[in-house]
Amino acid sequence: MDNPGKFYITTPIYYVNARPHIGHTYTTVVCDAVARRQRMMGLDTWFLTGTDEHGQKIERSAAAAGCSPREFVDKIAGEFRALWDRMKITYDDFIRTTEPRHMRGVQALFMRLQERGYIYKGSYSGQYCVFDELYVDAVGPGAPCPECGRPTETVHEENYFFKLSAMEDRLLKYYAEHPDFIRPETRRNEVVAFVRSGLRDLSVSRTSFKWGIPVPNDPQHVIYVWLDALANYMTAIGFGSENPKDQEKLHRYWPADVHMIGKEIVRFHCVYWPAFLLAADLPLPKSIIAHGWLLFEESKMSKSRGNIVRSETVLDTLGGDALRYFLLREIVFGQDGSFSFDALVARFNSDLANGLGNLASRTLSMIARYFDGEVPYPSPSERTPADEAIAKLGEQTIADFHAQFGQFQFSRALETAWALVAAVNKYIVENEPWAVAERDDQDSRARLATILYTSAEALRIVTALTHPVIPDATARIWTQLGLGEIGQVDLRSLAWGQLQLGTKLGPIEAVFPRADKSTIERMQQMEQQRAADAKQEALPPSAQPAGTDAQPGQPVTQAAASPSPSAPAPVADSKITIDDFLKVELRVGEIKVAEKVKGADKLLRMEVDIGTEVRQIVAGIAKAYEPEKLVGRKVVIVANLQPRKLRGLESNGMIVAASLGDDGQPVLAGFLEDVPVGAKLK
Ligand code: ME8
């Protein structure tokens, strides 16, 4: 029996023959945003991701890399997991198909199909595509695969077969009775047409390689990778385990609510997987949602085409929220969409820095300035049509955003939220709170309170709604609004007017500093460097620098460690690559305000103009510099440091100084020539 209060969502499990790129990140971020929102809608949510580690393709990749399949899969699976952790993907479980819990579950499923008479032994002669892990209708040695165009291999194998041909009618009936099973509609139509055209039995075992799960009682054969891989959605939540806790979990979450996939694996998920489940008498997932491809340089981003972009490049420059927002806003879900650094930076600046970031910083800083950091009391009787319009739009935004996001129309939902952001930014400009604040009468004060309350309330609503998409920035805006932990918000009861009067704001800081043109260059350089590193790593072991094959525990001698003439020079441990250096953003800033920090005799609090914004920086230079003499001085600052707190004050960057003598006396770095504020150092 399905439990209506739960929500179980899965990503595909990614092959470990390649490192993660933005294409993998896309599906994972979509699922993460959906899972986060479902949790905020009060659902008992389970979010699964993982890695697909068996098969000939992986076996060959490991051999090419000169290591055992086990070492190879451990390394790449670790990279996937580390990336998701770095991106704060809120997966509840990470399944690897080489784990015992999975292997046991796959064997249980195989036996269940066998017991029910759906698996028989036969033999196969024909063409096989290793890339797609698929027997294909192609004739003759080396004939191109009809799916991907790569040359196929001729195989003659004794195999176990699954009676897929017997499932045609049941599948068609199921699709007809469950119109939402495959989404979007275009994919559903393709699948129905494919099944209608007739299904042939499917070979579900291989003897040509060993890196897989043995067929129960016939270990010469390993189980077909797609039967192995698809089963992860159930083995991860306990299928095949006798443990009552696992069984309870299986009961609690299966059937899955959403299998999220890219469109190239529709057939496996929408034909084979339901056929296996129908034959095994197990409940089918509720929906399979296929999205389009992320294109880069006009073709599908994929390792085999060599046109990938690594997520780390964006994380190191603009941050995780920028990438998440871009993917969900720019790409119309379901369709193919292009990734480019230019489009990413343009979106970042227009929507995040100028849109939401600007709304947050101007609203919060005016409340801080004019109302001592407390959410003001709007005048209940004197709402102008402009105030009413924003309140109404706020209510409408909540309703529309819920409906659109609930339908997986992420781009439209974000457009809806940003229409409110734009309307409020316009409302602020038209109502000129800064001018109202100049007038010292009671009516003006009440008007100012209404304008700022209205703006803050709209900001709160957009922040809550978009938290699943841009979790970091929204959590920070939420704290600045003085509202605590954003993850605790119940989105079901979100409504206009809930912002409590008198709420004390938290410390204010910019959430999205504008990116400039050099950001694009930095990202391009990082990608080039990464591609070069990857190339060097992919060299076969004989081409690796000498000395790297010393036995563990044995010292590498000087002679052995020096590179052979043809080998690239190894990077010494103490040196960093240009890539590392490019991560540090150094800028010229001008100190606008400097003052001592109470109770800390070494610290100065400064406000430093860095061209795009004024930053608060706290630095331990009070013993060496009089604050008043620093005002107007140009300094070098590290602009992209994580903010940190010193004596309760947030410091947003670091001032570069030489450190002299044993006590580290600071001497500020500077320039002999005049340099403009905001100039970059490189
Ligand atoms: O197919 N655009 O793994 P895989 C959009 N192991 N999404 C992309 C993408 C792109 N350019 N590139 C990759 C497999 N993806 C099997 C799955 S599931 C039981 C087994 C995403 O590493 C998208 O979700 O080739 C796609 O379906 C998946 O990564 C393919 O990952």
Side-chain angles (χ1 to χ4, degrees):
M1 246 324 263
D2 186 33
N3 159 13
K6 68 89 180 153
F7 182 78
Y8 177 29
I9 184 165
T10 64
T11 70
I13 46 169
Y14 304 112
Y15 283 132
V16 290
N17 64 330
R19 293 194 162 135
H21 59 68
I22 292 189
H24 305 113
T25 299
Y26 179 55
T27 320
T28 309
V29 158
V30 165
C31 290
D32 186 56
V34 173
R36 284 177 183 264
R37 179 163 176 280
Q38 295 295 50
R39 291 188 196 105
M40 290 174 83
M41 298 292 280
L43 290 175
D44 169 13
T45 301
W46 196 257
F47 169 19
L48 175 72
T49 188
T51 40
D52 188 354
E53 305 187 0
H54 287 132
Q56 198 163 6
K57 191 156 57 166
I58 312 277
E59 198 176 67
R60 289 186 182 176
S61 297
C67 59
S68 70
R70 166 64 60 192
E71 282 166 338
F72 186 80
V73 299
D74 283 352
K75 179 167 184 295
I76 310 281
E79 288 188 25
F80 270 96
R81 197 169 178 147
L83 175 63
W84 305 149
D85 288 343
R86 177 165 180 212
M87 291 194 70
K88 303 196 187 110
I89 299 296
T90 58
Y91 61 87
D92 293 288
D93 196 0
F94 188 102
I95 179 96
R96 297 182 54 189
T97 55
T98 47
E99 285 176 72
R101 61 171 173 159
H102 174 73
M103 303 190 31
R104 187 180 56 211
V106 171
Q107 290 184 327
L109 179 60
F110 194 96
M111 286 194 287
R112 201 172 156 120
L113 292 169
Q114 242 172 349
E115 280 156 18
R116 285 170 169 69
Y118 284 95
I119 284 184
Y120 64 93
K121 217 170 187 177
S123 66
Y124 177 87
S125 255
Q127 298 307 114
Y128 186 68
C129 174
V130 175
F131 184 82
D132 289 322
E133 302 278 11
L134 206 61
Y135 285 115
V136 293
D137 279 329
V139 185
C145 164
E147 298 291 320
C148 70
R150 290 177 177 78
T152 52
E153 297 182 13
T154 310
V155 292
H156 306 280
E157 273 188 291
E158 185 192 53
N159 282 160
Y160 285 92
F161 283 84
F162 171 72
K163 286 189 188 165
L164 187 62
S165 57
M167 306 308 293
E168 249 174 67
D169 291 345
R170 286 180 72 185
L171 283 170
L172 289 171
K173 183 163 178 277
Y174 193 87
Y175 303 145
E177 285 170 359
H178 300 84
D180 279 342
F181 179 57
I182 304 168
R183 286 190 270 174
E185 183 81 16
T186 44
R187 303 283 161 236
R188 180 174 184 274
N189 295 341
E190 281 165 21
V191 170
V192 171
F194 175 78
V195 175
R196 277 214 185 110
S197 71
L199 297 175
R200 285 195 299 170
D201 289 353
L202 181 71
S203 151
V204 287
S205 75
R206 300 282 182 272
T207 49
S208 50
F209 63 94
K210 286 270 153 271
W211 183 243
I213 302 174
V215 166
N217 308 317
D218 198 352
Q220 287 302 316
H221 293 254
V222 294
I223 296 175
Y224 173 47
V225 276
W226 274 99
L227 174 53
D228 166 347
L230 289 160
N232 91 89
Y233 301 130
M234 290 189 80
T235 62
I237 52 169
F239 180 80
S241 165
E242 299 289 311
N243 182 324
K245 268 199 174 155
D246 292 336
Q247 287 178 1
E248 192 203 313
K249 192 169 183 185
L250 184 66
H251 215 73
R252 180 163 162 195
Y253 292 116
W254 192 257
D257 294 78
V258 173
H259 288 325
M260 187 72 72
I261 58 169
K263 65 181 180 183
E264 78 290 353
I265 51 177
V266 161
R267 192 200 307 169
F268 303 100
H269 283 79
C270 304
V271 181
Y272 299 171
W273 181 226
F276 296 147
L277 292 170
L278 284 170
D281 247 334
L282 291 165
L284 269 56
K286 284 194 241 159
S287 65
I288 297 156
I289 303 183
H291 61 67
W293 286 336
L294 209 57
L295 313 176
F296 188 61
E297 293 159 352
E298 284 164 29
S299 54
K300 183 190 175 210
M301 191 183 291
S302 73
K303 185 197 166 185
S304 49
R305 285 190 180 81
N307 64 341
I308 59 163
V309 176
R310 302 283 305 271
S311 308
E312 289 84 345
T313 297
V314 185
L315 301 183
D316 289 345
T317 46
L318 295 173
D321 280 353
L323 180 56
R324 295 170 68 105
Y325 180 77
F326 178 84
L327 292 174
L328 288 171
R329 172 66 185 84
E330 190 83 9
I331 290 146
V332 176
F333 186 73
Q335 299 177 13
D336 293 351
S338 286
F339 179 88
S340 80
F341 292 126
D342 292 271
L344 172 70
V345 168
R347 259 293 161 217
F348 178 83
N349 280 336
S350 70
D351 294 12
L352 298 178
N354 295 348
L356 181 61
N358 189 20
L359 173 62
S361 75
R362 70 203 325 194
T363 304
L364 296 166
S365 63
M366 282 191 280
I367 295 178
R369 195 171 321 140
Y370 304 132
F371 291 96
D372 212 13
E374 274 183 24
V375 173
Y377 290 54
S379 158
S381 53
E382 311 236 332
R383 291 222 292 194
T384 64
D387 308 333
E388 297 286 356
I390 295 289
K392 220 167 142 217
L393 184 62
E395 288 288 4
Q396 192 60 46
T397 302
I398 298 172
D400 291 350
F401 188 95
H402 277 322
Q404 291 158 346
F405 205 104
Q407 284 299 311
F408 301 93
Q409 296 170 356
F410 309 113
S411 183
R412 279 187 66 191
L414 292 171
E415 220 175 301
T416 298
W418 259 259
L420 179 60
V421 170
V424 185
N425 272 330
K426 183 158 172 263
Y427 162 88
I428 294 176
V429 170
E430 288 173 354
N431 286 275
E432 298 187 312
W434 42 86
V436 179
E438 299 278 298
R439 300 192 284 272
D440 216 7
D441 57 290
Q442 235 180 350
D443 283 356
S444 300
R445 190 84 188 138
R447 180 79 205 117
L448 183 62
T450 304
I451 300 169
L452 293 182
Y453 180 87
T454 306
S455 310
E457 177 56 350
L459 173 65
R460 183 186 72 90
I461 283 170
V462 171
T463 306
L465 288 175
T466 60
H467 177 62
V469 178
I470 44 172
D472 263 5
T474 47
R476 283 156 67 199
I477 297 174
W478 204 252
T479 326
Q480 293 179 46
L481 275 164
L483 299 173
E485 252 291 321
I486 194 167
Q488 306 302 322
V489 171
D490 186 341
L491 278 184
R492 290 168 299 183
S493 52
L494 184 69
W496 182 270
Q498 292 164 328
L499 180 59
Q500 295 291 314
L501 310 178
T503 304
K504 186 95 189 104
L505 301 189
I508 298 163
E509 40 132 4
V511 279
F512 294 116
R514 260 186 84 80
D516 59 26
K517 273 231 154 80
S518 71
T519 314
I520 299 176
E521 281 163 33
R522 272 181 37 226
M523 289 192 285
Q524 284 164 339
Q525 283 169 355
M526 284 168 146
E527 271 309 309
Q528 279 166 6
Q529 184 65 40
R530 287 209 161 97
D533 289 349
K535 234 186 194 159
Q536 183 171 334
E537 248 183 62
L539 292 175
S542 57
Q544 294 284 345
T548 48
D549 56 357
Q551 291 303 306
Q554 279 183 358
V556 178
T557 64
Q558 204 55 45
S562 63
S564 66
S566 60
V571 179
D573 281 351
S574 58
K575 300 258 171 71
I576 62 168
T577 62
I578 183 78
D579 197 15
D580 293 327
F581 175 71
L582 286 169
K583 287 185 196 161
V584 182
E585 191 185 332
L586 294 168
R587 275 177 187 263
V588 176
E590 183 177 321
I591 301 177
K592 294 288 187 195
V593 174
E595 61 190 22
K596 292 208 154 133
V597 174
K598 267 192 209 138
D601 55 1
K602 281 195 184 156
L603 293 183
L604 289 186
R605 185 191 82 84
M606 283 160 286
E607 287 174 26
V608 184
D609 183 355
I610 60 161
T612 46
E613 64 185 292
V614 176
R615 292 276 187 91
Q616 171 168 288
I617 299 183
V618 182
I621 56 172
K623 291 227 160 129
Y625 292 93
E626 296 287 331
E628 20 331 321
K629 293 206 178 127
L630 283 174
V631 174
R633 180 157 175 167
K634 298 230 170 108
V635 287
V636 176
I637 77 146
V638 181
N640 61 341
L641 271 187
Q642 298 251 3
R644 62 181 189 136
K645 282 213 167 143
L646 292 163
R647 295 278 169 150
L649 291 170
E650 185 155 281
S651 183
N652 249 304
M654 191 181 95
I655 298 199
V656 177
S659 173
L660 305 185
D662 289 344
D663 57 352
Q665 190 204 345
V667 177
L668 294 177
F671 299 91
L672 291 175
E673 290 87 2
D674 194 25
V675 280
V677 166
K680 289 233 161 130
L681 282 81
K682 51 183 182 176

